[in-house]
Amino acid sequence: MRQVHVALGSRSYDILVSRWLLPELGSHCRRLGFGRRCALLTDSRVGPLHGRVALRSLRQAGFDPVLVSVPAGERAKSIRHLADCYDQLAVHRLERKSFLVALGGGVVGDLAGFVAASYLRGIPFVQVPTTLVAQVDSSVGGKTGVNLAAGKNLVGAFWQPRLVLCDLETLKTLPDREYRSGLAEVIKYGIICDPTLFRRIEQRMPAILQMDSLELAWVVARCCTIKAEIVSQDETESGLRAILNFGHTVGHALEAITRYGRYLHGEAIAIGQMIAARISQQLLGLPPADVERMERLFKSANLPVTIQFSKDQLQRLCAAMKLDKKVAGGQIQFVLAERLGRVRFGQSVPWSLLITILNAPSGLRDAPRCRRVAPTCLR
Ligand code: NAD
Ligand code: GLY
C-alpha cells in the first residue's frame, strides 16, 4: 500500500493508495474516532456497484450508516441536491460527531464535501474516490462545492477530508472513456511540475491504459504526492495552488457552453491544456517540441486536443471565461508553461492572441507570433 501525507497542521490527513481498500473502509474510519452514526453519500451508478461493500464494511466496524444517493452526473452538483442531502442528514439525525463518506467520482466528492463543510457548521468526512479524476485530483485538497446556473463551482468551501482511500480496484468498473478522461489530469501534473512523470507516462501508456496495478498505484500516488505538496504550501489558492488550474480556464468554459453534455471534464481539460500550451509557445517561448510531445501524449490516451469553434461558440466561450473564478479585475488569468515541468500562474493573455489561437486550434505554427509580455507572477 502507498501512503501520502497531506501536511496541513491540525487538518493533516493521509491518502492511501492500493487495491481492495473499500472492504477496509470501516476499520480505517474507526481509527479516526468518529461517532457511530454516519452517511454514505454516493450516486445512482456507483451505489449499486460499490455501495454494498462500503456499507457492510462500516457496519462490521460498528458504525450505523445511512445511504444517501444522488443522480449520477454533473447535475447532482446543484443547490437542489445539496438541500436534499441536508434534509436526509437531518431526518436521520446526524450529529456533530457523525461523519460522511463520499463514495464516487468528483461530483459526489465535491457535493459531499460541501455538505460536510456546512451541515451543522461542519462535520468530518472521508473521501473514497472511484474515478481516476477523483483519485488523482478532486478528492485531495479540500475544494468542495456545487454549480450555479451561472457557472461551475461558484458556491463552495475549503473543507479537508479526514482520510482519502484510493481503491484501485473500484476503477475496474469505470467506463473506458471516463478512465481516459482522468488521464488528462495525470498528464497535467507532468506538465506543471514533473517532467519525469511526463516521460514515464509517455513510455508506459499501454500499461496505464490496461490499468496495470503496479503502474497505476505508482501513477496515482505520484499525482497525489504532487497535489499534497502544492496544497500544503497554499491550501486556499492564494498563489501557487493556481498552477493546478493549467488548462482549466478554457476547459471549464468549454464544459459550460456545451452544457456539460458533450465533453467529460478531462476531455475539456485536455483541449484547454493544448490551448494553454499554444498560448505559452507565443508568450513564454515554450519550445514547439514540448508542445508536440504534449499533443502526442494526449492523443495516445485517445483524448481530444483540438476543437473548431463557430463564431457563435467562440463568443459564448469568451463570455463563459469572463465568469470564471480566475478572473481578476476583469482580466482572465492563465497558467502558462515555460517548458515541460515549469509553469507560471497569474498570466494575463491579450484577448487578440487568445482569439487568434482559438480560431486556429491546431495551427499555432501558422499563428502570428506575439511580443513576449512580462510575467505578472513567477512560480
Ligand atoms: P463524475 O463524478 O461525474 O463521475 C463520472 C461518471 O462515472 C459518473 O456517471 C459516475 O456515476 C460514474 N462512476 C464513478 N465511479 C465509477 C466507477 N468506479 N464505476 C462505474 N462508474 C463510475 O465525474 P469525475 O470526472 O469523477 O469528476 C468531475 C467533477 O469533479 C467535476 O464536477 C469537477 O468540477 C470536479 N473536480 C473537482 C476538483 C476539486 O479539486 N475539488 C478537481 C477536479 C475535478
Ligand atoms: N483541482 C484544482 C485544485 O484542487 O486546486
Side-chain angles (χ1 to χ4, degrees), residues 79-209:
I79 297 285
R80 191 189 128 203
H81 290 290
L82 177 70
D84 284 348
C85 291
Y86 292 142
D87 286 342
Q88 298 218 42
L89 299 197
V91 165
H92 291 288
R93 301 257 182 274
L94 263 80
E95 304 164 352
R96 277 253 168 86
K97 288 203 97 190
S98 308
F99 66 103
L100 208 61
V101 176
L103 174 72
V107 164
V108 164
D110 283 11
L111 173 69
F114 190 51
V115 172
S118 45
Y119 179 73
L120 300 183
R121 299 203 181 89
I123 61 172
F125 88 115
V126 169
Q127 288 268 21
V128 186
T130 61
T131 63
L132 189 58
V133 167
Q135 294 198 351
V136 300
D137 190 1
S138 63
S139 64
V140 177
K143 275 191 184 174
T144 71
V146 296
N147 305 324
L148 297 182
K152 219 170 136 68
N153 301 329
L154 290 183
V155 175
F158 287 97
W159 190 250
Q160 300 295 340
R162 296 284 303 278
L163 174 71
V164 181
L165 291 185
C166 298
D167 182 343
L168 304 174
E169 207 55 29
T170 60
L171 298 179
K172 299 255 171 81
T173 57
L174 195 60
D176 180 61
R177 186 177 166 204
E178 293 284 355
Y179 178 69
R180 284 184 285 100
S181 163
L183 290 175
E185 298 283 7
V186 171
I187 294 169
K188 178 192 80 180
Y189 287 108
I191 297 172
I192 62 172
C193 59
D194 190 349
T196 308
L197 169 66
F198 191 91
R199 203 169 316 113
R200 182 158 170 154
I201 309 167
E202 282 179 323
Q203 290 163 350
R204 307 197 186 178
M205 184 57 90
I208 295 170
L209 286 174

Side-chain angles (χ1 to χ4, degrees), residues 137-138 140-141 143 185 188 227 231 237 241 244-245 248:
D137 190 1
S138 63
V140 177
K143 275 191 184 174
E185 298 283 7
K188 178 192 80 180
K227 183 149 185 187
V231 168
E237 201 171 311
R241 185 167 178 167
L244 292 167
N245 297 327
H248 284 56

